[in-house]
Amino acid sequence: MLKALIVDDELKSRENLKIMIEDFCKDVEVVALASTVTEALDFNTLYKPQIVFLDIQMNRETGFDFLNKVNQINFEVIFTTAYSEYAIEAIKFSAIDYLLKPIDIEELKVSIQRIENKKSSFLLKDKLDYLLQNIKVDNTENFKLVLPSLQGLVCVNFKDIIFCETASSNTIFHMRQGQKYMVSRSLKEYDELLTKYGFFRIHNAYLIHLKEVKKYIRGDNGYVMMSNDTQLQVSKRKKDPFLTKVSDGKAL
């Protein structure tokens, strides 16, 4: 049974999340509800939770204030927020879970399941360091992407990604320098994250960086050749949208 602490300055939000966890996450016990950073620090010391659901903005305080004041972070964090704000994009790139209010039950269960299924323990402190670095930059295109890979926690520039491919429920990143990183997150998640930064899903199995395409070979089974000479099939369903995307010639 995982012990959870909910930190949120809104009473209704705290209570609603507690009810959702009790009704749909049977392996999680909510041990305390905190409305301030001071309360959260006291409850963390008292109950030693494994999960902290942490609101980003709480009156004049923030969830980051709580994390900065914790002596030792021995728990996982799932951020909660009512706004799809700049910080959320930084959180996504830093491989830290978040839930957008009003919280969706299925997304809540996925976040809990991800924590329960962790095969390796990555220090949240490292992820938070990358998160704070991302928040400080002036443009989301300069964000660093944190990959909780089998080799350890890796921080990459998404501009150095050639393509990503699915491997069961995992994703393999193929980098310009030849490295490959396997991450225990779905390709769908990275499709949603990277599409706005020049990536395109050409196939259920492949998400490519358009700037890394050398050429497209036409035919019933058309395929692209990437900058590392890897050939990847373009699905029939994705062929027309892909050609439209690159019709100006900039990506080929």
Side-chain angles (χ1 to χ4, degrees):
M1 182 72 74
L2 295 172
K3 294 185 292 184
L5 167 64
I6 297 174
V7 185
D8 196 311
D9 63 328
E10 297 180 0
L11 176 61
K12 185 176 180 180
S13 294
R14 295 195 301 272
E15 293 182 339
N16 285 348
L17 180 52
K18 181 177 185 292
I19 291 170
M20 291 175 68
I21 292 171
E22 290 175 342
D23 289 348
F24 299 100
C25 305
K26 300 302 181 183
D27 294 328
V28 180
E29 176 191 7
V30 177
V31 293
L33 307 176
S35 61
T36 66
V37 168
T38 299
E39 285 184 355
L41 291 168
D42 290 341
F43 287 141
N44 178 61
T45 300
L46 180 62
Y47 294 106
K48 296 178 174 56
Q50 284 93 28
I51 307 173
V52 174
F53 291 89
L54 187 59
D55 192 15
I56 292 179
Q57 190 64 47
M58 300 180 290
N59 292 322
R60 297 181 180 179
E61 301 177 306
T62 71
F64 302 118
D65 293 330
F66 163 71
L67 294 170
N68 285 329
K69 292 178 180 180
V70 173
N71 290 329
Q72 188 172 5
I73 297 176
N74 293 318
F75 49 77
E76 292 292 328
V77 167
I78 299 176
F79 283 107
T80 61
T81 181
Y83 306 99
S84 183
E85 53 201 5
Y86 184 83
I88 287 297
E89 196 78 353
I91 288 169
K92 290 179 184 178
F93 270 81
S94 304
I96 300 174
D97 271 327
Y98 79 97
L99 295 168
L100 196 61
K101 299 177 185 177
I103 292 173
D104 179 82
I105 292 170
E106 292 305 314
E107 291 179 359
L108 170 63
K109 291 195 288 188
V110 167
S111 291
I112 296 295
Q113 192 69 51
R114 185 177 288 133
I115 290 173
E116 291 177 332
N117 290 344
K118 276 199 168 179
K119 297 175 182 177
S120 301
S121 177
F122 299 110
L123 292 177
L124 180 63
K125 181 66 169 61
D126 293 336
K127 292 182 181 180
L128 290 171
D129 286 343
Y130 290 126
L131 169 59
L132 294 175
Q133 290 176 33
N134 278 340
I135 287 177
K136 290 177 182 178
V137 304
D138 57 1
N139 192 314
T140 57
E141 292 192 358
N142 294 322
F143 281 169
K144 298 292 186 180
L145 180 62
V146 177
L147 304 177
S149 74
L150 298 181
Q151 297 96 319
L153 204 62
V154 180
C155 183
V156 303
N157 188 325
F158 70 81
K159 296 175 183 177
D160 290 331
I161 301 168
I162 297 177
F163 70 95
C164 310
E165 69 173 315
T166 189
S168 185
S169 59
N170 301 319
T171 299
I172 300 174
F173 283 76
H174 296 257
M175 308 300 297
R176 277 183 182 175
Q177 297 79 12
Q179 308 97 318
K180 296 180 183 179
Y181 302 117
M182 180 175 284
V183 180
S184 58
R185 294 197 174 194
S186 70
L187 188 63
K188 180 178 182 293
E189 292 182 59
Y190 289 107
D191 182 11
E192 294 171 351
L193 180 61
L194 294 172
T195 293
K196 68 181 72 173
Y197 299 103
F199 286 74
F200 188 83
R201 187 85 172 262
I202 60 168
H203 190 282
N204 284 340
Y206 307 119
L207 174 69
I208 66 169
H209 193 172
L210 291 172
K211 289 184 177 180
E212 297 298 320
V213 177
K214 287 175 66 174
K215 62 181 177 178
Y216 172 68
I217 293 81
R218 296 177 182 272
D220 291 337
N221 295 311
Y223 61 90
V224 291
M225 181 175 289
M226 305 304 294
S227 60
N228 63 352
D229 292 331
T230 300
Q231 296 181 6
L232 304 174
Q233 183 180 353
V234 179
S235 71
K236 290 183 178 180
R237 185 172 63 88
K238 292 289 189 176
K239 178 180 176 180
D240 288 342
F242 168 71
L243 291 176
T244 299
K245 195 79 174 177
V246 298
S247 60
D248 59 4
K250 291 180 180 179
L252 298 178

